[in-house]
Amino acid sequence: TLAVPAAPSILRRSRARRGGKRVRFAQVTVYYFARRQGFTCVPSAGGSSLGMAPRHHRARRYSLSQFAHLRQVSHRQHLRQHLRREKLRARRRELTQNGTVPSAEAAGLTLADVSDDDLDVGQVEVGDYFYLQPLPTKRRRALLRASGVRRIDAEERQELRALRLSREQCGCLCRLTCEPRTCACSQAGIQCQ
């Protein structure tokens, strides 16, 4: 009998190749842009959208460890601000009996009235918490003003409201069978949804 050598496994070859070459990064380049009114996205809440200037005004290079440290510090600051706003809301609710009774004391409270000692930052894992948070309308407007935007285009707010409303209605109203004369999908040239 003649012994035929077994063909080498395709899987073994691909594993060997994968381990050979790797891409390694040594630096991170961060580009900084000024804020502008967006006109390109639709925020889930009312008001204008945030955007950025077409060209960056600054660029910085960091090592990977510097960048990781910078992100951790930034995330911790965002977390602290978020917890401070939550604590302020809770205090205002307490002073107004869950928002039912107006209170001059509650109206006078500001973020400065919430100290770092009142926050439980140690209880929250920063990595678990941090993700992009939607910003309320007032906060977006304040960010735009702080970035030098003097006139916020009010028409964008109306356009965004119309877009949000149009996105709530999806498909057509056909039931069981499609009626092409009344089907919004068919009239738009797409299959009945």
Side-chain angles (χ1 to χ4, degrees):
T1 64
L2 192 57
V4 179
S9 169
I10 296 172
L11 296 175
R12 286 189 191 138
R13 270 189 280 162
S14 65
R15 282 188 196 135
R17 285 185 191 149
R18 268 192 256 149
K21 295 182 182 180
R22 293 188 180 169
V23 176
R24 297 186 192 271
F25 297 95
Q27 292 184 333
V28 175
T29 305
V30 179
Y31 296 92
Y32 296 89
F33 294 81
R35 288 188 193 275
R36 298 286 182 258
Q37 193 168 352
F39 301 104
T40 56
C41 65
V42 182
S44 56
S48 55
S49 61
L50 292 175
M52 59 187 189
R55 300 190 69 66
H56 64 277
H57 60 81
R58 191 175 96 192
R60 295 246 354 236
R61 287 186 181 220
Y62 301 98
S63 70
L64 293 178
S65 61
Q66 287 173 324
F67 184 70
H69 177 71
L70 212 91
R71 277 187 63 172
Q72 188 176 27
V73 168
S74 172
H75 290 180
R76 194 164 294 284
Q77 286 174 338
H78 281 104
L79 174 61
R80 204 172 259 120
Q81 281 300 101
H82 173 74
L83 293 174
R84 187 170 271 124
R85 283 191 294 272
E86 290 297 313
K87 187 64 106 173
L88 178 63
R89 274 192 216 110
R91 283 188 183 165
R92 284 180 176 164
R93 249 190 331 269
E94 286 172 10
L95 292 170
T96 59
Q97 296 176 0
N98 289 328
T100 58
V101 179
S103 166
E105 186 181 357
L109 286 177
T110 65
L111 287 174
D113 296 322
V114 181
S115 72
D116 280 346
D117 297 336
D118 296 334
L119 306 176
D120 292 330
V121 179
Q123 299 294 90
V124 181
E125 180 62 38
V126 177
D128 294 341
Y129 162 78
F130 195 82
Y131 54 91
L132 289 176
Q133 301 283 330
L135 295 174
T137 305
K138 287 182 182 180
R139 180 103 170 89
R140 276 183 272 139
R141 183 172 289 139
L143 284 170
L144 288 171
R145 297 252 190 255
S147 296
V149 176
R150 297 289 164 239
R151 186 180 161 277
I152 297 174
D153 187 348
E155 282 184 36
E156 184 192 28
R157 183 175 46 196
Q158 308 305 338
E159 293 169 5
L160 293 174
R161 182 182 300 139
L163 277 170
R164 278 191 296 273
L165 287 172
S166 73
R167 288 178 177 180
E168 286 179 12
Q169 183 181 11
C170 181
C172 60
L173 301 176
C174 294
R175 299 285 179 242
L176 299 176
T177 60
C178 178
E179 297 293 331
R181 290 188 315 265
T182 59
C183 174
C185 295
S186 179
Q187 290 172 357
I190 56 175
Q191 277 192 331
C192 181
Q193 300 296 309

